[in-house]
Amino acid sequence: MNNVDRRGLLGSAVLGAGGLMTLAGAARAANPGDGGIARHAVALPPGDKVVDHDNTDIEAMPEFKYSLDGSKPKVTSGGWAKEATAHQFKISTGIAGVHMFLDPGASRELHWHAIAAEWAYVLEGQCQTLVLDPSGQRELNSFGPGDLWYFPKGHAHAIQTIGDRPCHFILAFDNGSFSEHGTFSVTDWVSLTPKEMLAADFGVPKDVFDGFPKGETYIMAGPVLAAADVTDEPLPSARSHKFSLDAATPNETDGGSLRLATAQEFPMSQGMSGGVMTLKPGAIREMHWHPNANEWHYYLRGTAQVGLFGSGGRGKIAEFKPGDVAYLPVGYGHAIRNIGKEDLELVITFDSGVYQEISLTGLLAASPRYLLSNNFGVPDSTFAKFASKSGFIRMPT
Ligand code: MN
Ligand code: MN
């Protein structure tokens, strides 16, 4: 480009900007009575306006309830696993969940996950886990009901039942695309590898591998392992993969409680938080949202009514029973009510080690009455008896 052309371009750019300003000024002058708008300092430009939001313009809100315990299990010799991934449960893009059941004497074989960390809450029975991190540090821990584990993405682990009772637990993964059908299991790898390669790798004759299984064993049956046969090698709490939820200070009100382990209480659990929430009959976990995390529920006891607000005129209400799963996307407003006659209890997880929330009661309590009056188009005295702060879990008065 020569200098003459460049000057020409700059000139037309300046003219262009001037032309736009002139047009905007002309629009203001030409439409003085346009709904009164042109009398204000900030005038609307001429042309079509979006006068209202079109609800059909955005995707309908997907279902946020799925029956995990009602789904088809993956069954092998020593137990089973049922899963809720984004494949079966479309909305749950951030968190996948599993209910895994190990018979006495069974082990969930050595494996790792390429795309997700694993968080667990033990429901019943006893088990031991092995975990090996990339620095070569291993940990062996025994678990019972109410204990949590957390295995970072890609770290090797296995789970083995201790004693003569089954062990089952809820697993949550920080990626909705995670599937139990896609874990990296060592039997799978070994059976896909030529025996010459295995012999070279392990330094043993290749016929050693003649008796190895063909394909993935996944959860393998075996002789019962007595508690006396098991030795733990726990790491210090700052580096441990185990946390007992009993050690978490509950957030408790007259309506119920939440025991939650974030990365603050359970430092290993960098990518997830989780715990157990209990609501008394009639209690409500008040309307709120999480600015930083998706939320996932597995219902243990009772009957819940959950409301989910998805913006753009979209909202859904659903009832949850034991064995059901809920998924509440990041930022979506929600509330939980115990609508049954017994306590409501649920496992609750988030795909962040940091817990954040904003409640609607807190938001209204923080807002000046003149703003609320204008916002809702009602007299400001309407808000005189509204809660003056967040109640977390509230009993109706
Ligand atoms: Mn795993
Ligand atoms: Mn929530």
Side-chain angles (χ1 to χ4, degrees), residues 111 113 118 157:
H111 68 284
H113 312 299
E118 173 175 322
H157 55 279

Side-chain angles (χ1 to χ4, degrees), residues 41 98 250 255 329:
V98 167

Side-chain angles (χ1 to χ4, degrees), residues 84-314:
T85 75
H87 177 67
Q88 302 94 354
F89 186 29
K90 187 171 167 254
I91 194 172
S92 66
T93 53
I95 302 173
V98 167
H99 188 174
M100 186 175 285
F101 186 102
L102 306 186
D103 291 331
S107 68
R108 167 71 176 95
E109 67 163 299
L110 293 159
H111 68 284
W112 63 97
H113 312 299
I115 62 166
E118 173 175 322
W119 178 97
Y121 175 80
V122 178
L123 297 170
E124 284 185 302
Q126 309 285 329
C127 62
Q128 187 187 48
T129 65
L130 161 76
V131 55
L132 178 69
D133 77 15
S135 75
Q137 179 75 66
R138 81 164 179 182
E139 185 173 24
L140 290 160
N141 283 312
S142 292
F143 293 79
D147 290 337
L148 313 180
W149 69 67
Y150 184 85
F151 302 141
K153 182 172 78 174
H155 292 200
H157 55 279
I159 311 155
Q160 188 163 15
T161 310
I162 303 171
D164 54 9
R165 288 180 306 135
C167 184
H168 64 123
F169 37 86
I170 293 299
L171 302 173
F173 301 87
D174 61 351
N175 186 334
S177 299
F178 168 84
S179 169
E180 279 293 319
H181 296 277
T183 66
F184 290 76
S185 296
V186 293
T187 53
D188 194 9
W189 195 6
V190 167
S191 68
L192 288 167
T193 304
K195 283 181 188 164
E196 292 73 16
M197 187 177 273
L198 293 171
D201 192 76
F202 289 102
V204 295
K206 63 179 186 168
D207 58 10
V208 166
F209 298 97
D210 291 349
F212 274 50
K214 305 279 177 283
E216 185 195 44
T217 59
Y218 189 57
I219 300 170
M220 184 75 162
V224 169
L225 188 67
D229 299 331
V230 168
T231 308
D232 284 351
E233 263 180 41
L235 292 171
S237 61
R239 287 186 296 137
S240 181
H241 300 79
K242 177 184 175 181
F243 183 80
S244 175
L245 202 53
D246 293 340
T249 311
N251 186 350
E252 209 155 12
T253 71
D254 59 351
S257 69
L258 172 65
R259 266 179 210 281
L260 187 74
T262 69
Q264 226 174 340
E265 294 82 21
F266 183 15
M268 179 56 69
S269 177
Q270 285 298 311
M272 295 187 80
S273 304
V276 170
M277 182 151 71
T278 307
L279 299 190
K280 291 176 185 165
I284 181 168
R285 168 71 181 100
E286 64 181 17
M287 297 164 83
H288 68 282
W289 68 95
H290 305 283
N292 68 327
N294 297 296
E295 176 172 336
W296 185 91
H297 300 164
Y298 173 81
Y299 285 83
L300 296 168
R301 277 197 292 155
T303 312
Q305 182 190 54
V306 181
L308 181 66
F309 169 54
S311 84
R314 301 180 307 164

Side-chain angles (χ1 to χ4, degrees), residues 57-103:
D57 204 29
I58 54 172
E59 194 188 0
M61 200 157 92
E63 292 299 330
F64 71 102
K65 170 182 164 174
Y66 181 76
S67 174
L68 177 61
D69 285 358
S71 69
K72 284 189 187 132
K74 174 178 180 177
V75 186
T76 57
S77 66
W80 51 258
K82 296 176 177 180
E83 68 179 8
T85 75
H87 177 67
Q88 302 94 354
F89 186 29
K90 187 171 167 254
I91 194 172
S92 66
T93 53
I95 302 173
V98 167
H99 188 174
M100 186 175 285
F101 186 102
L102 306 186
D103 291 331

